[in-house]
PDB file of all heavy atoms in Angstrom:
ATOM      1  N   ASP A  18      85.584  70.062  99.183  1.00  0.00           N
ATOM      2  CA  ASP A  18      87.013  69.842  99.098  1.00  0.00           C
ATOM      3  C   ASP A  18      87.619  70.716  98.005  1.00  0.00           C
ATOM      4  O   ASP A  18      87.772  70.278  96.861  1.00  0.00           O
ATOM      5  CB  ASP A  18      87.297  68.368  98.827  1.00  0.00           C
ATOM      6  CG  ASP A  18      86.936  67.500 100.022  1.00  0.00           C
ATOM      7  OD1 ASP A  18      87.152  67.941 101.152  1.00  0.00           O
ATOM      8  OD2 ASP A  18      86.439  66.403  99.796  1.00  0.00           O
ATOM      9  N   ALA A  19      87.936  71.933  98.356  1.00  0.00           N
ATOM     10  CA  ALA A  19      88.586  72.830  97.404  1.00  0.00           C
ATOM     11  C   ALA A  19      90.007  72.358  97.144  1.00  0.00           C
ATOM     12  O   ALA A  19      90.636  71.719  97.994  1.00  0.00           O
ATOM     13  CB  ALA A  19      88.586  74.254  97.951  1.00  0.00           C
ATOM     14  N   GLN A  20      90.530  72.682  95.954  1.00  0.00           N
ATOM     15  CA  GLN A  20      91.873  72.266  95.550  1.00  0.00           C
ATOM     16  C   GLN A  20      92.752  73.498  95.319  1.00  0.00           C
ATOM     17  O   GLN A  20      92.271  74.539  94.868  1.00  0.00           O
ATOM     18  CB  GLN A  20      91.809  71.450  94.255  1.00  0.00           C
ATOM     19  CG  GLN A  20      90.867  70.265  94.315  1.00  0.00           C
ATOM     20  CD  GLN A  20      91.391  69.134  95.171  1.00  0.00           C
ATOM     21  OE1 GLN A  20      92.580  68.813  95.127  1.00  0.00           O
ATOM     22  NE2 GLN A  20      90.515  68.514  95.941  1.00  0.00           N
ATOM     23  N   TRP A  21      94.029  73.357  95.637  1.00  0.00           N
ATOM     24  CA  TRP A  21      94.994  74.375  95.239  1.00  0.00           C
ATOM     25  C   TRP A  21      95.254  74.197  93.742  1.00  0.00           C
ATOM     26  O   TRP A  21      95.545  73.084  93.288  1.00  0.00           O
ATOM     27  CB  TRP A  21      96.304  74.211  96.005  1.00  0.00           C
ATOM     28  CG  TRP A  21      96.238  74.674  97.435  1.00  0.00           C
ATOM     29  CD1 TRP A  21      96.058  73.895  98.533  1.00  0.00           C
ATOM     30  CD2 TRP A  21      96.361  76.023  97.912  1.00  0.00           C
ATOM     31  NE1 TRP A  21      96.061  74.667  99.672  1.00  0.00           N
ATOM     32  CE2 TRP A  21      96.248  75.979  99.323  1.00  0.00           C
ATOM     33  CE3 TRP A  21      96.559  77.251  97.289  1.00  0.00           C
ATOM     34  CZ2 TRP A  21      96.320  77.118 100.110  1.00  0.00           C
ATOM     35  CZ3 TRP A  21      96.646  78.393  98.085  1.00  0.00           C
ATOM     36  CH2 TRP A  21      96.524  78.322  99.465  1.00  0.00           C
ATOM     37  N   ILE A  22      95.126  75.270  92.974  1.00  0.00           N
ATOM     38  CA  ILE A  22      95.282  75.177  91.522  1.00  0.00           C
ATOM     39  C   ILE A  22      96.243  76.248  91.005  1.00  0.00           C
ATOM     40  O   ILE A  22      96.515  77.241  91.676  1.00  0.00           O
ATOM     41  CB  ILE A  22      93.930  75.325  90.788  1.00  0.00           C
ATOM     42  CG1 ILE A  22      93.278  76.686  91.089  1.00  0.00           C
ATOM     43  CG2 ILE A  22      92.975  74.180  91.170  1.00  0.00           C
ATOM     44  CD1 ILE A  22      92.015  76.968  90.285  1.00  0.00           C
ATOM     45  N   TRP A  23      96.747  76.006  89.783  1.00  0.00           N
ATOM     46  CA  TRP A  23      97.577  76.982  89.068  1.00  0.00           C
ATOM     47  C   TRP A  23      97.574  76.589  87.590  1.00  0.00           C
ATOM     48  O   TRP A  23      96.883  75.639  87.181  1.00  0.00           O
ATOM     49  CB  TRP A  23      98.994  77.043  89.631  1.00  0.00           C
ATOM     50  CG  TRP A  23      99.699  78.341  89.300  1.00  0.00           C
ATOM     51  CD1 TRP A  23     100.638  78.549  88.345  1.00  0.00           C
ATOM     52  CD2 TRP A  23      99.470  79.613  89.925  1.00  0.00           C
ATOM     53  NE1 TRP A  23     101.042  79.868  88.334  1.00  0.00           N
ATOM     54  CE2 TRP A  23     100.330  80.550  89.301  1.00  0.00           C
ATOM     55  CE3 TRP A  23      98.644  80.067  90.935  1.00  0.00           C
ATOM     56  CZ2 TRP A  23     100.377  81.896  89.657  1.00  0.00           C
ATOM     57  CZ3 TRP A  23      98.697  81.397  91.299  1.00  0.00           C
ATOM     58  CH2 TRP A  23      99.556  82.297  90.661  1.00  0.00           C
ATOM     59  N   SER A  24      98.357  77.282  86.815  1.00  0.00           N
ATOM     60  CA  SER A  24      98.438  76.987  85.384  1.00  0.00           C
ATOM     61  C   SER A  24      99.143  75.651  85.137  1.00  0.00           C
ATOM     62  O   SER A  24     100.151  75.351  85.781  1.00  0.00           O
ATOM     63  CB  SER A  24      99.195  78.100  84.662  1.00  0.00           C
ATOM     64  OG  SER A  24      99.538  77.702  83.353  1.00  0.00           O
ATOM     65  N   PRO A  25      98.664  74.843  84.175  1.00  0.00           N
ATOM     66  CA  PRO A  25      99.354  73.592  83.835  1.00  0.00           C
ATOM     67  C   PRO A  25     100.692  73.822  83.145  1.00  0.00           C
ATOM     68  O   PRO A  25     101.456  72.876  82.932  1.00  0.00           O
ATOM     69  CB  PRO A  25      98.359  72.887  82.910  1.00  0.00           C
ATOM     70  CG  PRO A  25      97.565  73.995  82.308  1.00  0.00           C
ATOM     71  CD  PRO A  25      97.434  75.026  83.384  1.00  0.00           C
ATOM     72  N   ALA A  26     100.992  75.094  82.815  1.00  0.00           N
ATOM     73  CA  ALA A  26     102.274  75.400  82.184  1.00  0.00           C
ATOM     74  C   ALA A  26     103.429  75.313  83.174  1.00  0.00           C
ATOM     75  O   ALA A  26     104.593  75.292  82.762  1.00  0.00           O
ATOM     76  CB  ALA A  26     102.236  76.792  81.561  1.00  0.00           C
ATOM     77  N   HIS A  27     103.109  75.262  84.476  1.00  0.00           N
ATOM     78  CA  HIS A  27     104.155  75.244  85.496  1.00  0.00           C
ATOM     79  C   HIS A  27     103.971  74.070  86.434  1.00  0.00           C
ATOM     80  O   HIS A  27     102.854  73.729  86.815  1.00  0.00           O
ATOM     81  CB  HIS A  27     104.146  76.545  86.304  1.00  0.00           C
ATOM     82  CG  HIS A  27     104.248  77.775  85.462  1.00  0.00           C
ATOM     83  ND1 HIS A  27     105.308  78.012  84.616  1.00  0.00           N
ATOM     84  CD2 HIS A  27     103.406  78.834  85.323  1.00  0.00           C
ATOM     85  CE1 HIS A  27     105.120  79.173  83.998  1.00  0.00           C
ATOM     86  NE2 HIS A  27     103.981  79.685  84.407  1.00  0.00           N
ATOM     87  N   ALA A  28     105.073  73.459  86.822  1.00  0.00           N
ATOM     88  CA  ALA A  28     105.038  72.372  87.795  1.00  0.00           C
ATOM     89  C   ALA A  28     104.963  72.947  89.205  1.00  0.00           C
ATOM     90  O   ALA A  28     105.409  74.069  89.462  1.00  0.00           O
ATOM     91  CB  ALA A  28     106.278  71.497  87.646  1.00  0.00           C
ATOM     92  N   LYS A  29     104.393  72.165  90.124  1.00  0.00           N
ATOM     93  CA  LYS A  29     104.302  72.593  91.513  1.00  0.00           C
ATOM     94  C   LYS A  29     105.688  72.890  92.072  1.00  0.00           C
ATOM     95  O   LYS A  29     106.635  72.148  91.874  1.00  0.00           O
ATOM     96  CB  LYS A  29     103.620  71.509  92.339  1.00  0.00           C
ATOM     97  CG  LYS A  29     103.351  71.891  93.793  1.00  0.00           C
ATOM     98  CD  LYS A  29     102.590  70.783  94.484  1.00  0.00           C
ATOM     99  CE  LYS A  29     102.261  71.161  95.915  1.00  0.00           C
ATOM    100  NZ  LYS A  29     103.443  71.204  96.773  1.00  0.00           N
ATOM    101  N   ASP A  30     105.797  74.009  92.786  1.00  0.00           N
ATOM    102  CA  ASP A  30     107.043  74.465  93.407  1.00  0.00           C
ATOM    103  C   ASP A  30     108.102  74.881  92.391  1.00  0.00           C
ATOM    104  O   ASP A  30     109.277  75.009  92.735  1.00  0.00           O
ATOM    105  CB  ASP A  30     107.615  73.388  94.335  1.00  0.00           C
ATOM    106  CG  ASP A  30     106.676  73.042  95.478  1.00  0.00           C
ATOM    107  OD1 ASP A  30     105.943  73.948  95.914  1.00  0.00           O
ATOM    108  OD2 ASP A  30     106.667  71.889  95.920  1.00  0.00           O
ATOM    109  N   HIS A  31     107.680  75.092  91.131  1.00  0.00           N
ATOM    110  CA  HIS A  31     108.592  75.596  90.098  1.00  0.00           C
ATOM    111  C   HIS A  31     107.868  76.644  89.261  1.00  0.00           C
ATOM    112  O   HIS A  31     107.833  76.572  88.026  1.00  0.00           O
ATOM    113  CB  HIS A  31     109.107  74.459  89.219  1.00  0.00           C
ATOM    114  CG  HIS A  31     110.034  73.529  89.923  1.00  0.00           C
ATOM    115  ND1 HIS A  31     109.583  72.457  90.668  1.00  0.00           N
ATOM    116  CD2 HIS A  31     111.392  73.521  90.026  1.00  0.00           C
ATOM    117  CE1 HIS A  31     110.614  71.821  91.185  1.00  0.00           C
ATOM    118  NE2 HIS A  31     111.718  72.431  90.820  1.00  0.00           N
ATOM    119  N   VAL A  32     107.247  77.600  89.963  1.00  0.00           N
ATOM    120  CA  VAL A  32     106.454  78.635  89.294  1.00  0.00           C
ATOM    121  C   VAL A  32     107.239  79.940  89.257  1.00  0.00           C
ATOM    122  O   VAL A  32     107.675  80.430  90.294  1.00  0.00           O
ATOM    123  CB  VAL A  32     105.110  78.856  90.017  1.00  0.00           C
ATOM    124  CG1 VAL A  32     104.301  79.941  89.312  1.00  0.00           C
ATOM    125  CG2 VAL A  32     104.323  77.551  90.083  1.00  0.00           C
ATOM    126  N   PRO A  33     107.444  80.525  88.090  1.00  0.00           N
ATOM    127  CA  PRO A  33     108.155  81.808  88.021  1.00  0.00           C
ATOM    128  C   PRO A  33     107.278  82.945  88.536  1.00  0.00           C
ATOM    129  O   PRO A  33     106.082  82.768  88.754  1.00  0.00           O
ATOM    130  CB  PRO A  33     108.437  81.953  86.523  1.00  0.00           C
ATOM    131  CG  PRO A  33     107.325  81.210  85.861  1.00  0.00           C
ATOM    132  CD  PRO A  33     107.042  80.033  86.764  1.00  0.00           C
ATOM    133  N   GLU A  34     107.873  84.082  88.716  1.00  0.00           N
ATOM    134  CA  GLU A  34     107.112  85.255  89.142  1.00  0.00           C
ATOM    135  C   GLU A  34     106.309  85.757  87.951  1.00  0.00           C
ATOM    136  O   GLU A  34     106.842  86.418  87.050  1.00  0.00           O
ATOM    137  CB  GLU A  34     108.065  86.330  89.679  1.00  0.00           C
ATOM    138  CG  GLU A  34     108.810  85.887  90.946  1.00  0.00           C
ATOM    139  CD  GLU A  34     109.748  86.959  91.479  1.00  0.00           C
ATOM    140  OE1 GLU A  34     109.685  88.099  90.972  1.00  0.00           O
ATOM    141  OE2 GLU A  34     110.538  86.655  92.388  1.00  0.00           O
ATOM    142  N   THR A  35     105.024  85.435  87.972  1.00  0.00           N
ATOM    143  CA  THR A  35     104.162  85.759  86.839  1.00  0.00           C
ATOM    144  C   THR A  35     102.712  85.766  87.283  1.00  0.00           C
ATOM    145  O   THR A  35     102.395  85.381  88.410  1.00  0.00           O
ATOM    146  CB  THR A  35     104.354  84.723  85.708  1.00  0.00           C
ATOM    147  OG1 THR A  35     103.614  85.125  84.558  1.00  0.00           O
ATOM    148  CG2 THR A  35     103.875  83.349  86.144  1.00  0.00           C
ATOM    149  N   ALA A  36     101.823  86.193  86.395  1.00  0.00           N
ATOM    150  CA  ALA A  36     100.386  86.202  86.663  1.00  0.00           C
ATOM    151  C   ALA A  36      99.722  85.030  85.960  1.00  0.00           C
ATOM    152  O   ALA A  36     100.185  84.556  84.922  1.00  0.00           O
ATOM    153  CB  ALA A  36      99.770  87.512  86.204  1.00  0.00           C
ATOM    154  N   CYS A  37      98.641  84.551  86.562  1.00  0.00           N
ATOM    155  CA  CYS A  37      97.829  83.507  85.961  1.00  0.00           C
ATOM    156  C   CYS A  37      96.369  83.913  86.115  1.00  0.00           C
ATOM    157  O   CYS A  37      95.977  84.453  87.163  1.00  0.00           O
ATOM    158  CB  CYS A  37      98.083  82.164  86.635  1.00  0.00           C
ATOM    159  SG  CYS A  37      97.298  80.774  85.813  1.00  0.00           S
ATOM    160  N   PHE A  38      95.563  83.666  85.085  1.00  0.00           N
ATOM    161  CA  PHE A  38      94.171  84.107  85.059  1.00  0.00           C
ATOM    162  C   PHE A  38      93.255  82.875  85.091  1.00  0.00           C
ATOM    163  O   PHE A  38      93.481  81.896  84.380  1.00  0.00           O
ATOM    164  CB  PHE A  38      93.907  84.950  83.820  1.00  0.00           C
ATOM    165  CG  PHE A  38      94.825  86.135  83.725  1.00  0.00           C
ATOM    166  CD1 PHE A  38      96.066  86.018  83.110  1.00  0.00           C
ATOM    167  CD2 PHE A  38      94.462  87.353  84.268  1.00  0.00           C
ATOM    168  CE1 PHE A  38      96.931  87.107  83.035  1.00  0.00           C
ATOM    169  CE2 PHE A  38      95.322  88.447  84.205  1.00  0.00           C
ATOM    170  CZ  PHE A  38      96.552  88.324  83.589  1.00  0.00           C
ATOM    171  N   PHE A  39      92.226  82.948  85.937  1.00  0.00           N
ATOM    172  CA  PHE A  39      91.320  81.817  86.134  1.00  0.00           C
ATOM    173  C   PHE A  39      89.864  82.258  85.936  1.00  0.00           C
ATOM    174  O   PHE A  39      89.485  83.388  86.256  1.00  0.00           O
ATOM    175  CB  PHE A  39      91.469  81.256  87.546  1.00  0.00           C
ATOM    176  CG  PHE A  39      92.836  80.709  87.850  1.00  0.00           C
ATOM    177  CD1 PHE A  39      93.810  81.516  88.434  1.00  0.00           C
ATOM    178  CD2 PHE A  39      93.157  79.388  87.556  1.00  0.00           C
ATOM    179  CE1 PHE A  39      95.060  81.011  88.722  1.00  0.00           C
ATOM    180  CE2 PHE A  39      94.416  78.881  87.837  1.00  0.00           C
ATOM    181  CZ  PHE A  39      95.369  79.694  88.429  1.00  0.00           C
ATOM    182  N   ARG A  40      89.063  81.307  85.435  1.00  0.00           N
ATOM    183  CA  ARG A  40      87.626  81.544  85.259  1.00  0.00           C
ATOM    184  C   ARG A  40      86.848  80.292  85.657  1.00  0.00           C
ATOM    185  O   ARG A  40      87.291  79.175  85.440  1.00  0.00           O
ATOM    186  CB  ARG A  40      87.306  81.854  83.795  1.00  0.00           C
ATOM    187  CG  ARG A  40      87.709  83.218  83.305  1.00  0.00           C
ATOM    188  CD  ARG A  40      87.519  83.307  81.789  1.00  0.00           C
ATOM    189  NE  ARG A  40      86.218  82.846  81.346  1.00  0.00           N
ATOM    190  CZ  ARG A  40      85.136  83.616  81.258  1.00  0.00           C
ATOM    191  NH1 ARG A  40      85.205  84.898  81.602  1.00  0.00           N
ATOM    192  NH2 ARG A  40      83.983  83.121  80.843  1.00  0.00           N
ATOM    193  N   LYS A  41      85.663  80.516  86.235  1.00  0.00           N
ATOM    194  CA  LYS A  41      84.720  79.434  86.506  1.00  0.00           C
ATOM    195  C   LYS A  41      83.318  79.943  86.213  1.00  0.00           C
ATOM    196  O   LYS A  41      82.813  80.858  86.869  1.00  0.00           O
ATOM    197  CB  LYS A  41      84.814  78.980  87.961  1.00  0.00           C
ATOM    198  CG  LYS A  41      83.772  77.935  88.353  1.00  0.00           C
ATOM    199  CD  LYS A  41      83.937  76.646  87.598  1.00  0.00           C
ATOM    200  CE  LYS A  41      82.930  75.597  88.062  1.00  0.00           C
ATOM    201  NZ  LYS A  41      83.079  74.319  87.311  1.00  0.00           N
ATOM    202  N   THR A  42      82.660  79.376  85.177  1.00  0.00           N
ATOM    203  CA  THR A  42      81.299  79.758  84.848  1.00  0.00           C
ATOM    204  C   THR A  42      80.331  78.758  85.472  1.00  0.00           C
ATOM    205  O   THR A  42      80.639  77.574  85.622  1.00  0.00           O
ATOM    206  CB  THR A  42      81.085  79.813  83.330  1.00  0.00           C
ATOM    207  OG1 THR A  42      81.405  78.542  82.769  1.00  0.00           O
ATOM    208  CG2 THR A  42      81.963  80.880  82.712  1.00  0.00           C
ATOM    209  N   PHE A  43      79.145  79.235  85.830  1.00  0.00           N
ATOM    210  CA  PHE A  43      78.130  78.372  86.436  1.00  0.00           C
ATOM    211  C   PHE A  43      76.762  79.021  86.268  1.00  0.00           C
ATOM    212  O   PHE A  43      76.646  80.231  86.037  1.00  0.00           O
ATOM    213  CB  PHE A  43      78.426  78.147  87.924  1.00  0.00           C
ATOM    214  CG  PHE A  43      78.455  79.415  88.750  1.00  0.00           C
ATOM    215  CD1 PHE A  43      77.341  79.849  89.443  1.00  0.00           C
ATOM    216  CD2 PHE A  43      79.617  80.167  88.833  1.00  0.00           C
ATOM    217  CE1 PHE A  43      77.371  81.012  90.206  1.00  0.00           C
ATOM    218  CE2 PHE A  43      79.672  81.334  89.587  1.00  0.00           C
ATOM    219  CZ  PHE A  43      78.536  81.752  90.274  1.00  0.00           C
ATOM    220  N   GLU A  44      75.741  78.193  86.356  1.00  0.00           N
ATOM    221  CA  GLU A  44      74.362  78.662  86.286  1.00  0.00           C
ATOM    222  C   GLU A  44      73.827  78.851  87.700  1.00  0.00           C
ATOM    223  O   GLU A  44      74.030  78.001  88.576  1.00  0.00           O
ATOM    224  CB  GLU A  44      73.490  77.660  85.531  1.00  0.00           C
ATOM    225  CG  GLU A  44      73.912  77.429  84.091  1.00  0.00           C
ATOM    226  CD  GLU A  44      73.750  78.674  83.234  1.00  0.00           C
ATOM    227  OE1 GLU A  44      72.725  79.386  83.400  1.00  0.00           O
ATOM    228  OE2 GLU A  44      74.642  78.944  82.400  1.00  0.00           O
ATOM    229  N   ALA A  45      73.146  79.965  87.921  1.00  0.00           N
ATOM    230  CA  ALA A  45      72.616  80.253  89.253  1.00  0.00           C
ATOM    231  C   ALA A  45      71.130  80.583  89.175  1.00  0.00           C
ATOM    232  O   ALA A  45      70.708  81.349  88.297  1.00  0.00           O
ATOM    233  CB  ALA A  45      73.369  81.417  89.892  1.00  0.00           C
ATOM    234  N   PRO A  46      70.319  80.007  90.067  1.00  0.00           N
ATOM    235  CA  PRO A  46      68.912  80.398  90.176  1.00  0.00           C
ATOM    236  C   PRO A  46      68.806  81.660  91.024  1.00  0.00           C
ATOM    237  O   PRO A  46      69.812  82.316  91.324  1.00  0.00           O
ATOM    238  CB  PRO A  46      68.294  79.185  90.889  1.00  0.00           C
ATOM    239  CG  PRO A  46      69.416  78.712  91.778  1.00  0.00           C
ATOM    240  CD  PRO A  46      70.694  78.965  91.012  1.00  0.00           C
ATOM    241  N   ASN A  47      67.599  81.998  91.429  1.00  0.00           N
ATOM    242  CA  ASN A  47      67.439  83.115  92.360  1.00  0.00           C
ATOM    243  C   ASN A  47      68.060  82.737  93.703  1.00  0.00           C
ATOM    244  O   ASN A  47      67.821  81.642  94.229  1.00  0.00           O
ATOM    245  CB  ASN A  47      65.951  83.439  92.551  1.00  0.00           C
ATOM    246  CG  ASN A  47      65.332  84.041  91.308  1.00  0.00           C
ATOM    247  OD1 ASN A  47      65.970  84.835  90.612  1.00  0.00           O
ATOM    248  ND2 ASN A  47      64.101  83.653  91.001  1.00  0.00           N
ATOM    249  N   LEU A  48      68.871  83.636  94.257  1.00  0.00           N
ATOM    250  CA  LEU A  48      69.630  83.337  95.465  1.00  0.00           C
ATOM    251  C   LEU A  48      69.219  84.208  96.640  1.00  0.00           C
ATOM    252  O   LEU A  48      68.821  85.364  96.468  1.00  0.00           O
ATOM    253  CB  LEU A  48      71.123  83.524  95.205  1.00  0.00           C
ATOM    254  CG  LEU A  48      71.770  82.648  94.125  1.00  0.00           C
ATOM    255  CD1 LEU A  48      73.229  83.026  93.954  1.00  0.00           C
ATOM    256  CD2 LEU A  48      71.643  81.173  94.491  1.00  0.00           C
ATOM    257  N   ASN A  49      69.368  83.629  97.816  1.00  0.00           N
ATOM    258  CA  ASN A  49      69.221  84.407  99.048  1.00  0.00           C
ATOM    259  C   ASN A  49      70.575  84.866  99.567  1.00  0.00           C
ATOM    260  O   ASN A  49      70.676  85.900 100.231  1.00  0.00           O
ATOM    261  CB  ASN A  49      68.538  83.563 100.133  1.00  0.00           C
ATOM    262  CG  ASN A  49      67.025  83.578 100.016  1.00  0.00           C
ATOM    263  OD1 ASN A  49      66.464  84.389  99.291  1.00  0.00           O
ATOM    264  ND2 ASN A  49      66.370  82.670 100.717  1.00  0.00           N
ATOM    265  N   ALA A  50      71.627  84.082  99.286  1.00  0.00           N
ATOM    266  CA  ALA A  50      72.954  84.420  99.797  1.00  0.00           C
ATOM    267  C   ALA A  50      74.016  83.817  98.901  1.00  0.00           C
ATOM    268  O   ALA A  50      73.793  82.783  98.255  1.00  0.00           O
ATOM    269  CB  ALA A  50      73.121  83.915 101.227  1.00  0.00           C
ATOM    270  N   ALA A  51      75.167  84.463  98.846  1.00  0.00           N
ATOM    271  CA  ALA A  51      76.319  83.962  98.093  1.00  0.00           C
ATOM    272  C   ALA A  51      77.589  84.485  98.753  1.00  0.00           C
ATOM    273  O   ALA A  51      77.761  85.704  98.897  1.00  0.00           O
ATOM    274  CB  ALA A  51      76.252  84.392  96.637  1.00  0.00           C
ATOM    275  N   VAL A  52      78.454  83.567  99.163  1.00  0.00           N
ATOM    276  CA  VAL A  52      79.714  83.927  99.833  1.00  0.00           C
ATOM    277  C   VAL A  52      80.849  83.201  99.131  1.00  0.00           C
ATOM    278  O   VAL A  52      80.725  82.016  98.793  1.00  0.00           O
ATOM    279  CB  VAL A  52      79.687  83.551 101.325  1.00  0.00           C
ATOM    280  CG1 VAL A  52      81.032  83.834 101.975  1.00  0.00           C
ATOM    281  CG2 VAL A  52      78.578  84.291 102.047  1.00  0.00           C
ATOM    282  N   ILE A  53      81.949  83.914  98.901  1.00  0.00           N
ATOM    283  CA  ILE A  53      83.127  83.310  98.296  1.00  0.00           C
ATOM    284  C   ILE A  53      84.312  83.503  99.229  1.00  0.00           C
ATOM    285  O   ILE A  53      84.443  84.540  99.890  1.00  0.00           O
ATOM    286  CB  ILE A  53      83.416  83.923  96.902  1.00  0.00           C
ATOM    287  CG1 ILE A  53      84.561  83.170  96.209  1.00  0.00           C
ATOM    288  CG2 ILE A  53      83.727  85.405  97.002  1.00  0.00           C
ATOM    289  CD1 ILE A  53      84.742  83.559  94.751  1.00  0.00           C
ATOM    290  N   GLU A  54      85.170  82.477  99.317  1.00  0.00           N
ATOM    291  CA  GLU A  54      86.388  82.533 100.107  1.00  0.00           C
ATOM    292  C   GLU A  54      87.574  82.306  99.181  1.00  0.00           C
ATOM    293  O   GLU A  54      87.545  81.397  98.347  1.00  0.00           O
ATOM    294  CB  GLU A  54      86.377  81.459 101.194  1.00  0.00           C
ATOM    295  CG  GLU A  54      85.245  81.616 102.196  1.00  0.00           C
ATOM    296  CD  GLU A  54      85.166  80.431 103.129  1.00  0.00           C
ATOM    297  OE1 GLU A  54      84.960  79.302 102.636  1.00  0.00           O
ATOM    298  OE2 GLU A  54      85.328  80.621 104.355  1.00  0.00           O
ATOM    299  N   VAL A  55      88.616  83.134  99.343  1.00  0.00           N
ATOM    300  CA  VAL A  55      89.757  83.083  98.437  1.00  0.00           C
ATOM    301  C   VAL A  55      91.057  83.203  99.229  1.00  0.00           C
ATOM    302  O   VAL A  55      91.161  84.013 100.159  1.00  0.00           O
ATOM    303  CB  VAL A  55      89.711  84.219  97.393  1.00  0.00           C
ATOM    304  CG1 VAL A  55      90.846  84.059  96.377  1.00  0.00           C
ATOM    305  CG2 VAL A  55      88.363  84.260  96.688  1.00  0.00           C
ATOM    306  N   ALA A  56      92.031  82.397  98.849  1.00  0.00           N
ATOM    307  CA  ALA A  56      93.407  82.562  99.325  1.00  0.00           C
ATOM    308  C   ALA A  56      94.328  82.321  98.142  1.00  0.00           C
ATOM    309  O   ALA A  56      94.038  81.481  97.280  1.00  0.00           O
ATOM    310  CB  ALA A  56      93.731  81.595 100.457  1.00  0.00           C
TER     311      ALA A  56
END
């Protein structure tokens, strides 16, 4: 269940024209495959 996210500095449907930067760190073992989906 992925969530739509943005900066907590802005309320939903009241976001100015600006950039927001996101990071997610995680630990990974040896992998056979990795796929990411983004919108």
Side-chain angles (χ1 to χ4, degrees):
D18 291 323
Q20 306 288 319
W21 285 99
I22 60 174
W23 201 258
S24 167
H27 305 301
K29 185 176 182 290
D30 299 328
H31 291 86
V32 180
E34 296 180 9
T35 186
C37 188
F38 303 87
F39 298 93
R40 286 172 49 88
K41 175 64 177 180
T42 57
F43 60 95
E44 299 295 319
N47 291 322
L48 299 177
N49 276 347
V52 176
I53 186 170
E54 298 172 300
V55 185

